[in-house]
Amino acid sequence: MNRPGHEVPGRAVASASGLDLLLVAVALLVPAILFGLAALQNRADVLREGRDVLVRSTAVLQEHAGKVMQTQELALALVGDRIRGLTEEQVAAPEISDFLAGLRAPLDQAVSIWITDADGVVRAGSQAWNPATRITDRDFFTVHRDHRRGPYVSAAFVGRATALPSFALSRRRETGDGTFAGTIHIALRPTYFARFFAEAAPALPHRALLLRAEGDVLASEPSGGLERLPPDGPLMGAFAAAPGGGVFEAASPVDGRRYLYAYAPVADYPLYVALGIPTQALLKRWRDNLRLFGAVAAAASALLLAASWLAMRRAAAERAALARLRAALDDLRRETEGRAAAESRVRQAQRMEALGQLAGGVAHDVNNVLQAVASGARMMLRKPEDAPQVRRLAGMVLEATERGAAVARRLLAFARQGELRAADVAAGPLLEDLREVLTHTLGAGVTVHIQVAPGLPTLRADKGQLETVLVNLATNARDAMAGTGGGVLTLAAVPEEVAEGVRHPAGLLPGHYVRLGVADTGSGMDAATLARAAEPFFTTKPAGSGTGLGLAMAKGFAEQSGGGFAIRSAPGAGTTVTLWLPRSVAAADAVLADQAAAPEAEALPSPRVLLVEDETLVRETLAAELVLRGWRVSAAADGPEALRQLDAGLDDLDLLVTDQAMPGMNGLALLRQARLRRPRLPGILLTGLVGDGPETQAGLAEAVRDGPFALLRKPADAAELAARAAALLRSEGRA
């Protein structure tokens, strides 16, 4: 019988053995489990980061391919303009071929440019050719002969005159009556695209492709592989399921390995860019991490085994140490989570601060306008009989509303989105418009100066892209000056000429340019940072604070616009980013003078107009202004009501004036329905913001095609509305 206070020795030994086995199992299993969980989490992180790099790189390939194709389409248009109205003998003259050779020379992506007649005979080319050559077997020739105007992207071929692998961008030639007269086409180098793919793709094994929507491979990097994708392959299936682009994983039809693919359409062309990276290549970093995790797990197992051996002698001390370790891990986890949450709150606060600065500045300007309008209206109500005072106040109210409209126009111009459209841009007014937006956006610590040379000529570029580039550069400058509490941002524009035989630091060709400079008084960059500043995805900002694409996009925009790019910086001396953009042929002063000299519209003899506007105040005031001008006005609050009035009468209707943004039926839809009842009815669309969407652009094109049409921005002036109406009615013989 056991006495109290005494333990059976065998039971104690058995208990100790069981504890030893438990500690050994824990020493082996816990590191293994932690190793497995960490490995799975790290694998997911590595794949997610690889996916992000893949998507960003594909976006760069998509942007480049779109710009190249748009440049070639512009070249086709220039050729078409040059030979318009010429006979086939005149087209075959040597000066036309010389023109084609000069046009092709600066286009590194182009192999050759050709003009053929309706029989497929080459009439002119950018280089020598065999006069007996015919291209009737080319797919683009047969497509255009069968009434497709173009542009058309052909399948790959080997040029008969150049013996080089090529593919063509072509358009149809027509006689004055629309008869097929031949083709104009540019043969493009697949190697040009492959070279860019090699430069822009990540430093991993990869396969980059430029494809037709039908599956033909036009360019590949690395070279080789399939010439056409199998119709039942994964890429063709992805094109059909999600034409707008996407990411998926599948086996490669070339080598059978698993690839992570990203693809995207190229602008409005039947083309795609695709970039694939072997999944195993993406996982290489994960495998390297596994070795590190394995070493850590092995070391942890060794330590736990040693701790288990010590636990047999000092179990109580070991339990206390384990408790302290767990507490330390909990504290570390809570500290890490707290730091991540604090960083997230700081980033959100910065975003809200920038948004608040812009909203506050806009609200300040709008409140000033409303104050002037309200005060003037109240004073007119108090003394309506004082005609001179009422006229003076009405002028003040009109001036205030025009200022408010100017603020709205600048904000809408700043927010505009759309595809690249090169146009003549007056740099001085552009910088002045940006000053107001940047003043509110950059904060009170940054002073914005504008320096524009007198008589500055217009430049040739996409205005929306240029605004985006300048705002991005201004934001970078603000961040560079943040450490000094603010500073001075200078936006400058001066003309510059590059003479023949001069080697320009930015690699500019001889010609006339407008030089735009964005200079700050910030901390500057050292030589190592400056050398990499324009590399895609290179950034010195903390994670989550920048993509590293701002300067790279600015450089690409300048070079694709036919200009150049440079950065000058030194520690403590600030940074200056310079863009050279080509000068336009027409002068902005002449354009503005022509517009200012436009004669006022002739008075209309009491036209009958249907005015459609859902805002009651706008509808009633605009109708009253038109009645004062002698117009006969019928008003409607929305599209269905307007159509009911048309169905009920209004046989003498001369013009439809409608708002675009209305509930239920917008202005373009109403005009379409009204013209079903009154063919070629003249229409004026009033709008604050039309938009750049393809559906809206198609609606505007239809409105112009089906009858006299004009677009008028709000707020609309009755005099301007009358001028537009007079022009439309005269075009139809109604005035």
Side-chain angles (χ1 to χ4, degrees):
M1 185 175 181
N2 298 331
R3 290 178 292 174
H6 289 75
E7 190 177 50
V8 177
R11 185 178 299 171
V13 172
S15 177
S17 299
L19 180 60
D20 291 344
L21 292 176
L22 178 61
L23 291 175
V24 170
V26 169
L28 295 175
L29 290 177
V30 169
I33 292 173
L34 292 176
F35 172 76
L37 293 176
L40 290 175
Q41 180 62 43
N42 185 251
R43 187 180 190 275
D45 292 341
V46 168
L47 288 177
R48 182 176 62 253
E49 292 171 4
R51 179 190 181 99
D52 292 342
V53 170
L54 186 65
V55 169
R56 290 196 298 268
S57 299
T58 303
V60 173
L61 304 186
Q62 175 195 31
E63 178 80 9
H64 172 264
K67 297 297 186 298
V68 170
M69 299 306 292
Q70 289 164 1
T71 300
Q72 307 315 305
E73 191 172 347
L74 177 60
L76 289 177
L78 292 174
V79 176
D81 291 341
R82 178 65 178 83
I83 66 173
R84 183 173 290 110
L86 300 183
T87 65
E88 294 299 339
E89 290 72 19
Q90 291 172 325
V91 171
E95 55 265 24
I96 299 300
S97 293
D98 292 342
F99 169 74
L100 298 182
L103 184 61
R104 191 217 64 82
L107 301 177
D108 185 41
Q109 62 270 40
V111 178
S112 53
I113 306 176
W114 304 97
I115 303 173
T116 69
D117 61 16
D119 295 325
V121 176
V122 176
R123 289 289 185 171
S126 60
Q127 63 184 71
W129 74 94
N130 184 349
T133 301
R134 293 175 179 265
I135 64 165
T136 52
D137 58 329
R138 298 298 193 202
D139 60 336
F140 60 85
F141 182 86
T142 58
V143 164
H144 291 311
R145 185 181 59 197
D146 296 338
H147 305 296
R148 175 163 179 172
R149 285 187 168 84
Y152 177 79
V153 180
S154 78
F157 59 85
V158 176
R160 293 191 175 98
T162 64
L164 294 175
S166 310
F167 66 94
L169 180 68
S170 60
R171 62 182 290 181
R172 172 187 169 105
R173 293 180 59 205
E174 292 183 348
T175 61
D177 60 358
T179 303
F180 175 66
T183 63
I184 306 170
H185 75 272
I186 298 180
L188 300 176
R189 302 178 191 272
T191 54
Y192 173 83
F193 292 90
R195 187 165 62 249
F196 181 82
F197 291 169
E199 295 172 355
L204 291 169
H206 61 270
R207 181 166 294 276
L209 301 171
L210 176 66
L211 304 148
R212 294 208 309 167
E214 295 85 351
D216 299 286
V217 177
L218 302 181
S220 174
E221 197 282 316
S223 60
L226 296 176
E227 296 182 356
R228 182 180 176 88
L229 297 180
D232 56 350
L235 258 177
M236 295 300 293
F239 293 169
V247 181
F248 66 96
E249 185 178 1
S252 168
V254 177
D255 56 19
R257 292 192 295 172
R258 299 289 294 181
Y259 277 71
L260 186 63
Y261 290 100
Y263 68 96
V266 177
D268 295 328
Y269 302 95
L271 295 174
Y272 284 88
V273 292
L275 179 61
I277 299 178
T279 306
Q280 291 303 314
L282 290 175
L283 292 176
K284 181 180 182 301
R285 184 160 62 90
W286 174 66
R287 291 192 295 271
D288 293 340
N289 291 341
L290 284 185
R291 286 190 284 271
L292 176 62
F293 293 165
V296 172
S301 296
L303 290 174
L304 287 176
L305 286 173
S308 300
W309 179 75
L310 293 174
M312 291 184 295
R313 300 172 57 186
R314 304 184 59 184
E318 184 64 24
R319 284 195 298 271
L322 183 60
R324 289 193 297 271
L325 177 60
R326 288 175 177 170
L329 291 175
D330 288 341
D331 291 342
L332 179 61
R333 177 181 54 80
R334 285 192 294 269
E335 181 181 352
T336 302
E337 292 174 351
R339 184 182 299 111
E343 291 174 352
S344 177
R345 288 193 296 271
V346 169
R347 287 194 296 270
Q348 182 65 18
Q350 290 172 342
R351 296 190 190 102
M352 295 304 296
E353 179 183 0
L355 180 60
Q357 289 172 349
L358 179 57
V362 173
H364 175 269
D365 290 341
V366 171
N367 283 334
N368 285 342
V369 171
L370 294 178
Q371 177 66 52
V373 172
S375 297
R378 283 194 295 268
M379 294 177 69
M380 285 189 285
L381 286 174
R382 290 176 182 173
K383 292 184 178 183
E385 70 285 353
D386 188 350
Q389 178 75 350
V390 168
R391 282 195 296 270
R392 186 179 68 83
L393 293 173
M396 293 171 56
V397 170
L398 181 59
E399 180 182 355
T401 57
E402 290 174 348
R403 288 182 57 194
V407 172
R409 283 194 299 270
R410 288 169 182 167
L411 288 175
L412 292 176
F414 175 68
R416 183 182 68 82
Q417 294 179 351
E419 61 186 21
L420 184 63
R421 300 184 182 93
D424 291 350
V425 179
L430 174 69
L431 297 183
E432 289 295 340
D433 286 346
L434 280 179
R435 181 210 300 268
E436 186 169 349
V437 175
L438 293 177
T439 299
H440 299 318
T441 304
L442 302 182
V446 178
T447 301
V448 181
H449 286 172
I450 305 296
Q451 297 177 356
V452 178
L456 183 70
T458 56
L459 58 88
R460 186 74 177 173
D462 183 288
K463 183 178 180 183
Q465 292 283 357
L466 178 57
E467 288 171 341
T468 301
V469 166
L470 291 176
V471 170
N472 284 342
L473 294 177
T475 304
N476 285 347
R478 177 200 61 191
D479 295 342
M481 294 185 290
T484 60
V488 177
L489 173 68
T490 302
L491 302 179
V494 296
E496 182 172 324
E497 179 181 359
V498 179
E500 292 284 349
V502 174
R503 185 172 183 179
H504 195 273
L508 296 178
L509 296 174
H512 295 273
Y513 299 86
V514 173
R515 187 178 74 228
L516 300 177
V518 180
D520 63 63
T521 58
S523 56
M525 293 181 279
D526 57 27
T529 303
L530 182 61
R532 300 190 60 194
E535 292 182 8
F537 310 117
F538 174 78
T539 179
T540 58
K541 297 179 181 179
S545 299
T547 63
L549 285 173
L551 290 174
M553 291 177 63
K555 182 176 185 292
F557 166 75
E559 293 175 349
Q560 291 169 12
S561 299
F565 172 90
I567 310 175
R568 186 177 71 252
S569 184
T575 299
T576 299
V577 178
T578 304
L579 305 174
W580 285 270
L581 296 173
R583 192 177 73 179
S584 63
V585 176
D589 294 341
V591 174
L592 294 176
D594 290 343
Q595 294 176 349
E600 294 186 0
E602 299 175 6
L604 293 174
S606 300
R608 181 61 177 267
V609 60
L610 176 57
L611 175 63
V612 187
E613 169 62 63
D614 59 321
E615 289 289 343
T616 303
L617 287 175
V618 176
R619 183 175 65 252
E620 292 180 353
T621 54
L622 187 54
E625 281 193 276
L626 296 178
V627 169
L628 286 175
R629 289 180 168 269
W631 292 32
R632 294 173 294 151
V633 180
S634 297
D638 54 31
E641 181 182 345
L643 295 177
R644 285 194 293 272
Q645 292 190 31
L646 282 174
D647 294 335
L650 295 181
D651 294 332
D652 59 343
L653 183 64
D654 294 310
L655 177 68
L656 173 66
V657 179
T658 177
D659 185 23
Q660 164 65 0
M662 296 186 296
M665 178 183 292
N666 64 29
L668 287 172
L670 171 59
L671 180 59
R672 187 181 304 115
Q673 292 297 321
R675 283 177 171 170
L676 294 177
R677 296 161 171 80
R678 305 281 197 281
R680 295 196 62 79
L681 175 66
I684 295 180
L685 187 70
L686 303 178
T687 179
L689 176 62
V690 174
D692 287 331
E695 182 177 351
T696 301
Q697 295 302 318
L700 291 173
E702 178 186 350
V704 173
R705 184 184 65 242
D706 294 344
F709 175 77
L711 183 68
L712 195 58
R713 298 284 182 179
K714 287 185 175 180
D717 180 82
E720 185 180 2
L721 178 58
R724 295 292 182 92
L728 294 182
L729 296 181
R730 281 197 299 272
S731 70
E732 287 291 288
R734 302 190 183 209

